[in-house]
Amino acid sequence: MTTSWVGRPVARVEDPRLLRGEGRYLDDLGQGALAAAFVRSPHAHARVLDVDVDGALDLEGVVAVYTYDDLVESDAVDGTRVAEPLPLLIPHPGLHAPRTPYRWRGPRSTTLARPW
Amino acid sequence: VTGEQLVPVRLRVNGVERTVEVPGRRLLSDALRHDLRLTGTHVGCEHGVCGACTVLLDGEPVRSCLVLAAGVDGHDVTTVEGLAAPDGTLHPVQQAFVDCHGLQCGFCTPGFVLTIAAFLRDDPDPDEDAALEAVSGNLCRCTGYQNIKAAVLRAAELARERPASPDRTPG
């Protein structure tokens, strides 16, 4: 069997499904789905020590409330990896360092930039 | 929830008698997608421009977003789900789209396929200009239309090659 795909048409595996009307586009899903609401801290800079969900669970129509603790449990029980911290993202210097030998001269200048 | 009055609608969808109870303002496209759960019919613009929601009403292509479900009581509707043969064999137009790479994301495809199926029933041997004109009422953001035009001509060829296969297009 040749390993080269160059120069040969490659049959798309998804075509028959899409042509039969059996695609699963976002708007095709969710029939009978529940609605979710995300609650964030009302404080811009604070440490979340505890989340009390009792009052929320008492509301009529509320099916479930999930907090970070549930993610930890999910990881332990189901082997998911949803409670892991986000990776520390450090932008490459090339993305924010000046790319030209021009310097910002400050808002009082009528000339935005000039060669240094 | 709204206390809106419901209208019973009996219609034949892909050969099957169906009954839905819908508000009078329910679009045929929404009745198909939400009430009958036939999500193969796609709603693109919802005002008759894009052609993605095209279905066959008594064999003729219509934009189902411009038709009220209550208006098709007693009529025959064919959606993309009803185009392949009962044994699963793709309709010549569907097969032609595979052969000619006539789709990428596939969102507009059901509307194209039904439009072309009805067109070829009336004009089984179109030339290139006629093929292009036939799909001029449908928008596709992926393909650039050249492969869809090729698929129209290929579908005509396939239909001639296998005339024994039952044409499930009504009318």
Side-chain angles (χ1 to χ4, degrees), chain A residues 10-12 14-32, chain B residues 33-34 37 39-40 42 80-81 84 88 90 94 97-98 101 103-107 109 113:
Chain A
V10 179
R12 281 159 45 97
E14 63 271 49
D15 279 357
R17 177 169 61 87
L18 297 176
L19 281 158
R20 290 177 198 277
E22 295 169 0
R24 283 162 57 82
Y25 296 84
L26 190 60
D27 196 34
D28 303 339
L29 312 177
Q31 182 91 23
Chain B
R33 288 182 53 82
H34 302 147
R37 307 279 288 270
T39 53
H42 294 160
V80 70
E81 288 95 337
L90 291 178
Q94 292 170 313
F97 269 68
V98 175
H101 193 185
L103 69 151
Q104 285 180 36
C105 84
F107 189 85
T109 307
V113 166

mmCIF file of all heavy atoms in Angstrom, chain A residues 10-12 14-32, chain B residues 33-34 37 39-40 42 80-81 84 88 90 94 97-98 101 103-107 109 113:
data_model
loop_
_atom_site.group_PDB
_atom_site.id
_atom_site.type_symbol
_atom_site.label_atom_id
_atom_site.label_comp_id
_atom_site.label_asym_id
_atom_site.label_seq_id
_atom_site.Cartn_x
_atom_site.Cartn_y
_atom_site.Cartn_z
ATOM 1 N N VAL A 10 -9.004 12.547 -2.132
ATOM 2 C CA VAL A 10 -9.279 11.870 -0.873
ATOM 3 C C VAL A 10 -10.780 11.957 -0.607
ATOM 4 O O VAL A 10 -11.333 13.053 -0.503
ATOM 5 C CB VAL A 10 -8.502 12.519 0.291
ATOM 6 C CG1 VAL A 10 -8.815 11.814 1.598
ATOM 7 C CG2 VAL A 10 -7.006 12.489 0.001
ATOM 8 N N ALA A 11 -11.431 10.825 -0.522
ATOM 9 C CA ALA A 11 -12.878 10.806 -0.311
ATOM 10 C C ALA A 11 -13.196 11.330 1.088
ATOM 11 O O ALA A 11 -12.554 10.944 2.057
ATOM 12 C CB ALA A 11 -13.411 9.384 -0.474
ATOM 13 N N ARG A 12 -14.164 12.231 1.154
ATOM 14 C CA ARG A 12 -14.566 12.781 2.453
ATOM 15 C C ARG A 12 -15.502 11.789 3.147
ATOM 16 O O ARG A 12 -16.469 11.345 2.555
ATOM 17 C CB ARG A 12 -15.280 14.115 2.251
ATOM 18 C CG ARG A 12 -14.346 15.278 2.002
ATOM 19 C CD ARG A 12 -15.048 16.441 1.307
ATOM 20 N NE ARG A 12 -16.345 16.770 1.848
ATOM 21 C CZ ARG A 12 -16.556 17.749 2.746
ATOM 22 N NH1 ARG A 12 -15.563 18.491 3.165
ATOM 23 N NH2 ARG A 12 -17.761 17.993 3.181
ATOM 24 N N GLU A 14 -17.401 12.410 5.671
ATOM 25 C CA GLU A 14 -18.589 13.026 6.257
ATOM 26 C C GLU A 14 -19.692 13.293 5.238
ATOM 27 O O GLU A 14 -20.818 13.609 5.623
ATOM 28 C CB GLU A 14 -18.222 14.336 6.965
ATOM 29 C CG GLU A 14 -17.650 15.428 6.073
ATOM 30 C CD GLU A 14 -16.138 15.360 5.921
ATOM 31 O OE1 GLU A 14 -15.622 14.254 5.624
ATOM 32 O OE2 GLU A 14 -15.472 16.395 6.078
ATOM 33 N N ASP A 15 -19.372 13.166 3.944
ATOM 34 C CA ASP A 15 -20.351 13.576 2.938
ATOM 35 C C ASP A 15 -21.682 12.829 2.987
ATOM 36 O O ASP A 15 -22.737 13.474 2.972
ATOM 37 C CB ASP A 15 -19.732 13.467 1.541
ATOM 38 C CG ASP A 15 -18.860 14.667 1.215
ATOM 39 O OD1 ASP A 15 -18.796 15.581 2.056
ATOM 40 O OD2 ASP A 15 -18.265 14.694 0.129
ATOM 41 N N PRO A 16 -21.684 11.498 3.033
ATOM 42 C CA PRO A 16 -22.987 10.811 3.031
ATOM 43 C C PRO A 16 -23.883 11.249 4.183
ATOM 44 O O PRO A 16 -25.088 11.455 4.007
ATOM 45 C CB PRO A 16 -22.598 9.329 3.144
ATOM 46 C CG PRO A 16 -21.221 9.255 2.563
ATOM 47 C CD PRO A 16 -20.558 10.542 2.970
ATOM 48 N N ARG A 17 -23.281 11.413 5.348
ATOM 49 C CA ARG A 17 -24.061 11.839 6.516
ATOM 50 C C ARG A 17 -24.675 13.222 6.278
ATOM 51 O O ARG A 17 -25.863 13.449 6.523
ATOM 52 C CB ARG A 17 -23.118 11.868 7.726
ATOM 53 C CG ARG A 17 -23.698 12.340 9.003
ATOM 54 C CD ARG A 17 -22.722 12.060 10.143
ATOM 55 N NE ARG A 17 -21.443 12.743 9.998
ATOM 56 C CZ ARG A 17 -21.203 13.986 10.428
ATOM 57 N NH1 ARG A 17 -22.170 14.673 10.984
ATOM 58 N NH2 ARG A 17 -20.029 14.538 10.269
ATOM 59 N N LEU A 18 -23.854 14.148 5.779
ATOM 60 C CA LEU A 18 -24.354 15.505 5.554
ATOM 61 C C LEU A 18 -25.404 15.515 4.444
ATOM 62 O O LEU A 18 -26.370 16.290 4.498
ATOM 63 C CB LEU A 18 -23.196 16.440 5.194
ATOM 64 C CG LEU A 18 -22.125 16.622 6.277
ATOM 65 C CD1 LEU A 18 -20.995 17.501 5.760
ATOM 66 C CD2 LEU A 18 -22.728 17.229 7.532
ATOM 67 N N LEU A 19 -25.239 14.662 3.458
ATOM 68 C CA LEU A 19 -26.164 14.654 2.327
ATOM 69 C C LEU A 19 -27.492 13.983 2.657
ATOM 70 O O LEU A 19 -28.492 14.208 1.979
ATOM 71 C CB LEU A 19 -25.509 13.949 1.124
ATOM 72 C CG LEU A 19 -24.520 14.831 0.365
ATOM 73 C CD1 LEU A 19 -23.538 13.989 -0.420
ATOM 74 C CD2 LEU A 19 -25.280 15.774 -0.561
ATOM 75 N N ARG A 20 -27.508 13.172 3.692
ATOM 76 C CA ARG A 20 -28.754 12.519 4.104
ATOM 77 C C ARG A 20 -29.531 13.369 5.115
ATOM 78 O O ARG A 20 -30.573 12.955 5.607
ATOM 79 C CB ARG A 20 -28.468 11.171 4.753
ATOM 80 C CG ARG A 20 -27.974 10.111 3.806
ATOM 81 C CD ARG A 20 -27.653 8.839 4.585
ATOM 82 N NE ARG A 20 -26.802 7.947 3.828
ATOM 83 C CZ ARG A 20 -27.259 7.099 2.907
ATOM 84 N NH1 ARG A 20 -28.551 7.028 2.677
ATOM 85 N NH2 ARG A 20 -26.438 6.318 2.243
ATOM 86 N N GLY A 21 -28.994 14.523 5.450
ATOM 87 C CA GLY A 21 -29.662 15.344 6.459
ATOM 88 C C GLY A 21 -29.397 14.843 7.866
ATOM 89 O O GLY A 21 -30.157 15.114 8.785
ATOM 90 N N GLU A 22 -28.303 14.084 8.019
ATOM 91 C CA GLU A 22 -27.991 13.516 9.335
ATOM 92 C C GLU A 22 -26.816 14.221 10.009
ATOM 93 O O GLU A 22 -26.139 13.649 10.864
ATOM 94 C CB GLU A 22 -27.702 12.015 9.196
ATOM 95 C CG GLU A 22 -28.927 11.229 8.747
ATOM 96 C CD GLU A 22 -28.599 9.800 8.341
ATOM 97 O OE1 GLU A 22 -27.417 9.411 8.402
ATOM 98 O OE2 GLU A 22 -29.534 9.092 7.939
ATOM 99 N N GLY A 23 -26.549 15.451 9.567
ATOM 100 C CA GLY A 23 -25.518 16.225 10.245
ATOM 101 C C GLY A 23 -25.969 16.573 11.652
ATOM 102 O O GLY A 23 -27.151 16.448 11.989
ATOM 103 N N ARG A 24 -25.018 16.956 12.465
ATOM 104 C CA ARG A 24 -25.374 17.374 13.825
ATOM 105 C C ARG A 24 -24.825 18.775 14.064
ATOM 106 O O ARG A 24 -23.807 18.966 14.722
ATOM 107 C CB ARG A 24 -24.813 16.391 14.857
ATOM 108 C CG ARG A 24 -25.637 15.100 14.941
ATOM 109 C CD ARG A 24 -24.881 13.987 15.613
ATOM 110 N NE ARG A 24 -24.435 14.337 16.952
ATOM 111 C CZ ARG A 24 -25.200 14.274 18.036
ATOM 112 N NH1 ARG A 24 -26.449 13.889 17.938
ATOM 113 N NH2 ARG A 24 -24.721 14.587 19.214
ATOM 114 N N TYR A 25 -25.489 19.743 13.456
ATOM 115 C CA TYR A 25 -25.108 21.140 13.634
ATOM 116 C C TYR A 25 -25.635 21.606 14.994
ATOM 117 O O TYR A 25 -26.547 20.998 15.555
ATOM 118 C CB TYR A 25 -25.688 21.992 12.515
ATOM 119 C CG TYR A 25 -25.139 21.625 11.150
ATOM 120 C CD1 TYR A 25 -25.693 20.582 10.422
ATOM 121 C CD2 TYR A 25 -24.056 22.303 10.611
ATOM 122 C CE1 TYR A 25 -25.185 20.219 9.183
ATOM 123 C CE2 TYR A 25 -23.546 21.957 9.379
ATOM 124 C CZ TYR A 25 -24.117 20.919 8.664
ATOM 125 O OH TYR A 25 -23.599 20.574 7.452
ATOM 126 N N LEU A 26 -25.053 22.677 15.479
ATOM 127 C CA LEU A 26 -25.372 23.103 16.842
ATOM 128 C C LEU A 26 -26.875 23.283 17.044
ATOM 129 O O LEU A 26 -27.440 22.861 18.051
ATOM 130 C CB LEU A 26 -24.642 24.410 17.153
ATOM 131 C CG LEU A 26 -24.705 24.836 18.615
ATOM 132 C CD1 LEU A 26 -24.088 23.778 19.510
ATOM 133 C CD2 LEU A 26 -23.994 26.161 18.819
ATOM 134 N N ASP A 27 -27.537 23.886 16.054
ATOM 135 C CA ASP A 27 -28.965 24.158 16.212
ATOM 136 C C ASP A 27 -29.809 22.887 16.091
ATOM 137 O O ASP A 27 -31.004 22.908 16.351
ATOM 138 C CB ASP A 27 -29.404 25.196 15.164
ATOM 139 C CG ASP A 27 -30.746 25.815 15.504
ATOM 140 O OD1 ASP A 27 -31.026 25.990 16.704
ATOM 141 O OD2 ASP A 27 -31.525 26.101 14.578
ATOM 142 N N ASP A 28 -29.172 21.784 15.672
ATOM 143 C CA ASP A 28 -29.891 20.516 15.590
ATOM 144 C C ASP A 28 -29.912 19.805 16.936
ATOM 145 O O ASP A 28 -30.671 18.862 17.134
ATOM 146 C CB ASP A 28 -29.231 19.581 14.568
ATOM 147 C CG ASP A 28 -29.149 20.210 13.186
ATOM 148 O OD1 ASP A 28 -29.927 21.147 12.916
ATOM 149 O OD2 ASP A 28 -28.313 19.759 12.390
ATOM 150 N N LEU A 29 -29.054 20.246 17.828
ATOM 151 C CA LEU A 29 -28.928 19.579 19.122
ATOM 152 C C LEU A 29 -29.774 20.320 20.155
ATOM 153 O O LEU A 29 -30.330 21.372 19.898
ATOM 154 C CB LEU A 29 -27.465 19.584 19.568
ATOM 155 C CG LEU A 29 -26.447 19.153 18.522
ATOM 156 C CD1 LEU A 29 -25.045 19.275 19.064
ATOM 157 C CD2 LEU A 29 -26.723 17.732 18.067
ATOM 158 N N GLY A 30 -29.845 19.755 21.327
ATOM 159 C CA GLY A 30 -30.434 20.498 22.430
ATOM 160 C C GLY A 30 -31.940 20.467 22.512
ATOM 161 O O GLY A 30 -32.524 21.228 23.282
ATOM 162 N N GLN A 31 -32.595 19.594 21.723
ATOM 163 C CA GLN A 31 -34.046 19.474 21.879
ATOM 164 C C GLN A 31 -34.338 18.972 23.288
ATOM 165 O O GLN A 31 -33.815 17.943 23.702
ATOM 166 C CB GLN A 31 -34.601 18.503 20.840
ATOM 167 C CG GLN A 31 -36.099 18.338 20.876
ATOM 168 C CD GLN A 31 -36.811 19.323 19.965
ATOM 169 O OE1 GLN A 31 -36.217 19.814 19.027
ATOM 170 N NE2 GLN A 31 -38.069 19.597 20.246
ATOM 171 N N GLY A 32 -35.112 19.705 24.048
ATOM 172 C CA GLY A 32 -35.406 19.299 25.417
ATOM 173 C C GLY A 32 -34.271 19.565 26.393
ATOM 174 O O GLY A 32 -34.313 19.077 27.528
ATOM 175 N N ARG B 33 -38.338 21.118 11.802
ATOM 176 C CA ARG B 33 -37.151 20.970 12.648
ATOM 177 C C ARG B 33 -37.513 20.702 14.108
ATOM 178 O O ARG B 33 -36.940 19.827 14.735
ATOM 179 C CB ARG B 33 -36.275 22.224 12.564
ATOM 180 C CG ARG B 33 -35.531 22.378 11.238
ATOM 181 C CD ARG B 33 -34.654 23.625 11.256
ATOM 182 N NE ARG B 33 -33.778 23.635 12.399
ATOM 183 C CZ ARG B 33 -32.628 22.979 12.465
ATOM 184 N NH1 ARG B 33 -32.212 22.284 11.439
ATOM 185 N NH2 ARG B 33 -31.893 23.040 13.548
ATOM 186 N N HIS B 34 -38.461 21.477 14.622
ATOM 187 C CA HIS B 34 -38.726 21.404 16.054
ATOM 188 C C HIS B 34 -39.857 20.455 16.402
ATOM 189 O O HIS B 34 -39.752 19.678 17.350
ATOM 190 C CB HIS B 34 -39.019 22.800 16.602
ATOM 191 C CG HIS B 34 -37.894 23.764 16.357
ATOM 192 N ND1 HIS B 34 -38.081 25.099 16.134
ATOM 193 C CD2 HIS B 34 -36.552 23.569 16.264
ATOM 194 C CE1 HIS B 34 -36.912 25.689 15.943
ATOM 195 N NE2 HIS B 34 -35.977 24.775 16.017
ATOM 196 N N ARG B 37 -38.844 17.109 14.451
ATOM 197 C CA ARG B 37 -37.447 16.737 14.737
ATOM 198 C C ARG B 37 -36.700 16.302 13.480
ATOM 199 O O ARG B 37 -35.799 15.466 13.547
ATOM 200 C CB ARG B 37 -37.397 15.620 15.787
ATOM 201 C CG ARG B 37 -38.175 15.928 17.055
ATOM 202 C CD ARG B 37 -37.391 16.813 17.981
ATOM 203 N NE ARG B 37 -36.285 16.097 18.589
ATOM 204 C CZ ARG B 37 -36.370 15.439 19.738
ATOM 205 N NH1 ARG B 37 -37.510 15.433 20.407
ATOM 206 N NH2 ARG B 37 -35.343 14.821 20.238
ATOM 207 N N THR B 39 -34.191 17.561 11.477
ATOM 208 C CA THR B 39 -33.244 18.681 11.481
ATOM 209 C C THR B 39 -32.376 18.721 10.225
ATOM 210 O O THR B 39 -31.463 19.528 10.145
ATOM 211 C CB THR B 39 -32.345 18.615 12.726
ATOM 212 O OG1 THR B 39 -31.740 17.320 12.793
ATOM 213 C CG2 THR B 39 -33.149 18.859 13.985
ATOM 214 N N GLY B 40 -32.653 17.850 9.272
ATOM 215 C CA GLY B 40 -31.904 17.925 8.011
ATOM 216 C C GLY B 40 -32.223 19.188 7.241
ATOM 217 O O GLY B 40 -31.395 19.686 6.475
ATOM 218 N N HIS B 42 -32.328 22.901 6.934
ATOM 219 C CA HIS B 42 -31.574 23.931 7.648
ATOM 220 C C HIS B 42 -32.156 25.314 7.428
ATOM 221 O O HIS B 42 -32.629 25.623 6.337
ATOM 222 C CB HIS B 42 -30.115 23.917 7.191
ATOM 223 C CG HIS B 42 -29.402 22.651 7.572
ATOM 224 N ND1 HIS B 42 -28.263 22.224 6.954
ATOM 225 C CD2 HIS B 42 -29.691 21.733 8.526
ATOM 226 C CE1 HIS B 42 -27.870 21.086 7.506
ATOM 227 N NE2 HIS B 42 -28.723 20.766 8.457
ATOM 228 N N VAL B 80 -34.808 16.483 2.926
ATOM 229 C CA VAL B 80 -33.583 15.798 2.519
ATOM 230 C C VAL B 80 -33.512 14.392 3.116
ATOM 231 O O VAL B 80 -32.918 13.478 2.527
ATOM 232 C CB VAL B 80 -32.351 16.638 2.921
ATOM 233 C CG1 VAL B 80 -32.155 16.663 4.433
ATOM 234 C CG2 VAL B 80 -31.098 16.138 2.216
ATOM 235 N N GLU B 81 -34.180 14.206 4.251
ATOM 236 C CA GLU B 81 -34.167 12.881 4.874
ATOM 237 C C GLU B 81 -34.923 11.849 4.023
ATOM 238 O O GLU B 81 -34.709 10.642 4.187
ATOM 239 C CB GLU B 81 -34.799 12.925 6.272
ATOM 240 C CG GLU B 81 -33.960 13.615 7.338
ATOM 241 C CD GLU B 81 -34.331 15.082 7.532
ATOM 242 O OE1 GLU B 81 -34.902 15.675 6.592
ATOM 243 O OE2 GLU B 81 -34.063 15.620 8.623
ATOM 244 N N ALA B 84 -33.068 9.692 -0.197
ATOM 245 C CA ALA B 84 -32.385 8.428 -0.504
ATOM 246 C C ALA B 84 -33.415 7.317 -0.662
ATOM 247 O O ALA B 84 -34.533 7.407 -0.165
ATOM 248 C CB ALA B 84 -31.395 8.084 0.605
ATOM 249 N N GLY B 88 -31.329 2.804 1.358
ATOM 250 C CA GLY B 88 -30.212 3.648 1.776
ATOM 251 C C GLY B 88 -29.375 4.194 0.630
ATOM 252 O O GLY B 88 -28.516 5.041 0.842
ATOM 253 N N LEU B 90 -28.039 6.410 -2.063
ATOM 254 C CA LEU B 90 -28.186 7.853 -2.225
ATOM 255 C C LEU B 90 -28.929 8.170 -3.514
ATOM 256 O O LEU B 90 -28.778 7.479 -4.528
ATOM 257 C CB LEU B 90 -26.801 8.520 -2.253
ATOM 258 C CG LEU B 90 -25.999 8.519 -0.950
ATOM 259 C CD1 LEU B 90 -24.635 9.174 -1.177
ATOM 260 C CD2 LEU B 90 -26.743 9.252 0.166
ATOM 261 N N GLN B 94 -27.621 13.324 -4.583
ATOM 262 C CA GLN B 94 -26.759 13.172 -3.401
ATOM 263 C C GLN B 94 -25.432 12.525 -3.790
ATOM 264 O O GLN B 94 -24.354 12.962 -3.368
ATOM 265 C CB GLN B 94 -27.468 12.315 -2.344
ATOM 266 C CG GLN B 94 -28.684 12.991 -1.731
ATOM 267 C CD GLN B 94 -29.508 12.046 -0.869
ATOM 268 O OE1 GLN B 94 -29.802 10.927 -1.266
ATOM 269 N NE2 GLN B 94 -29.886 12.501 0.313
ATOM 270 N N PHE B 97 -23.115 14.911 -5.560
ATOM 271 C CA PHE B 97 -22.414 15.833 -4.653
ATOM 272 C C PHE B 97 -21.187 15.166 -4.041
ATOM 273 O O PHE B 97 -20.153 15.805 -3.843
ATOM 274 C CB PHE B 97 -23.361 16.335 -3.542
ATOM 275 C CG PHE B 97 -24.069 17.603 -3.891
ATOM 276 C CD1 PHE B 97 -25.021 17.639 -4.888
ATOM 277 C CD2 PHE B 97 -23.771 18.783 -3.215
ATOM 278 C CE1 PHE B 97 -25.670 18.819 -5.223
ATOM 279 C CE2 PHE B 97 -24.408 19.977 -3.545
ATOM 280 C CZ PHE B 97 -25.361 19.991 -4.549
ATOM 281 N N VAL B 98 -21.291 13.869 -3.751
ATOM 282 C CA VAL B 98 -20.118 13.129 -3.262
ATOM 283 C C VAL B 98 -19.061 13.077 -4.359
ATOM 284 O O VAL B 98 -17.884 13.381 -4.129
ATOM 285 C CB VAL B 98 -20.513 11.693 -2.844
ATOM 286 C CG1 VAL B 98 -19.262 10.898 -2.459
ATOM 287 C CG2 VAL B 98 -21.502 11.722 -1.686
ATOM 288 N N HIS B 101 -17.419 16.623 -5.130
ATOM 289 C CA HIS B 101 -17.036 17.472 -4.010
ATOM 290 C C HIS B 101 -17.901 18.744 -4.005
ATOM 291 O O HIS B 101 -17.399 19.866 -3.947
ATOM 292 C CB HIS B 101 -15.544 17.839 -4.073
ATOM 293 C CG HIS B 101 -15.023 18.444 -2.807
ATOM 294 N ND1 HIS B 101 -13.748 18.932 -2.692
ATOM 295 C CD2 HIS B 101 -15.611 18.649 -1.613
ATOM 296 C CE1 HIS B 101 -13.564 19.414 -1.481
ATOM 297 N NE2 HIS B 101 -14.682 19.255 -0.801
ATOM 298 N N LEU B 103 -19.815 19.850 -1.759
ATOM 299 C CA LEU B 103 -20.110 20.435 -0.441
ATOM 300 C C LEU B 103 -18.847 20.456 0.398
ATOM 301 O O LEU B 103 -17.940 19.661 0.210
ATOM 302 C CB LEU B 103 -21.196 19.635 0.298
ATOM 303 C CG LEU B 103 -20.821 18.225 0.780
ATOM 304 C CD1 LEU B 103 -21.614 17.848 1.998
ATOM 305 C CD2 LEU B 103 -21.031 17.215 -0.322
ATOM 306 N N GLN B 104 -18.821 21.421 1.291
ATOM 307 C CA GLN B 104 -17.770 21.404 2.304
ATOM 308 C C GLN B 104 -18.421 21.281 3.679
ATOM 309 O O GLN B 104 -18.482 20.221 4.254
ATOM 310 C CB GLN B 104 -16.887 22.644 2.195
ATOM 311 C CG GLN B 104 -15.939 22.552 0.986
ATOM 312 C CD GLN B 104 -15.051 23.754 0.843
ATOM 313 O OE1 GLN B 104 -14.603 24.327 1.816
ATOM 314 N NE2 GLN B 104 -14.805 24.153 -0.397
ATOM 315 N N CYS B 105 -18.971 22.391 4.190
ATOM 316 C CA CYS B 105 -19.574 22.297 5.525
ATOM 317 C C CYS B 105 -20.920 21.605 5.487
ATOM 318 O O CYS B 105 -21.368 21.049 6.474
ATOM 319 C CB CYS B 105 -19.701 23.672 6.170
ATOM 320 S SG CYS B 105 -21.172 24.611 5.703
ATOM 321 N N GLY B 106 -21.590 21.636 4.332
ATOM 322 C CA GLY B 106 -22.829 20.896 4.183
ATOM 323 C C GLY B 106 -24.078 21.590 4.684
ATOM 324 O O GLY B 106 -25.165 21.026 4.615
ATOM 325 N N PHE B 107 -23.943 22.821 5.166
ATOM 326 C CA PHE B 107 -25.128 23.478 5.740
ATOM 327 C C PHE B 107 -26.158 23.811 4.663
ATOM 328 O O PHE B 107 -27.362 23.610 4.848
ATOM 329 C CB PHE B 107 -24.734 24.746 6.496
ATOM 330 C CG PHE B 107 -25.881 25.325 7.278
ATOM 331 C CD1 PHE B 107 -26.167 24.873 8.551
ATOM 332 C CD2 PHE B 107 -26.710 26.289 6.722
ATOM 333 C CE1 PHE B 107 -27.245 25.376 9.260
ATOM 334 C CE2 PHE B 107 -27.791 26.795 7.423
ATOM 335 C CZ PHE B 107 -28.053 26.341 8.691
ATOM 336 N N THR B 109 -26.385 22.402 1.794
ATOM 337 C CA THR B 109 -26.527 21.268 0.882
ATOM 338 C C THR B 109 -27.950 20.712 0.766
ATOM 339 O O THR B 109 -28.410 20.446 -0.344
ATOM 340 C CB THR B 109 -25.539 20.159 1.284
ATOM 341 O OG1 THR B 109 -24.230 20.733 1.355
ATOM 342 C CG2 THR B 109 -25.554 19.031 0.292
ATOM 343 N N VAL B 113 -29.728 20.173 -2.806
ATOM 344 C CA VAL B 113 -30.042 18.825 -3.277
ATOM 345 C C VAL B 113 -31.515 18.725 -3.690
ATOM 346 O O VAL B 113 -31.848 18.173 -4.744
ATOM 347 C CB VAL B 113 -29.696 17.794 -2.181
ATOM 348 C CG1 VAL B 113 -30.302 16.443 -2.489
ATOM 349 C CG2 VAL B 113 -28.177 17.667 -2.034
#
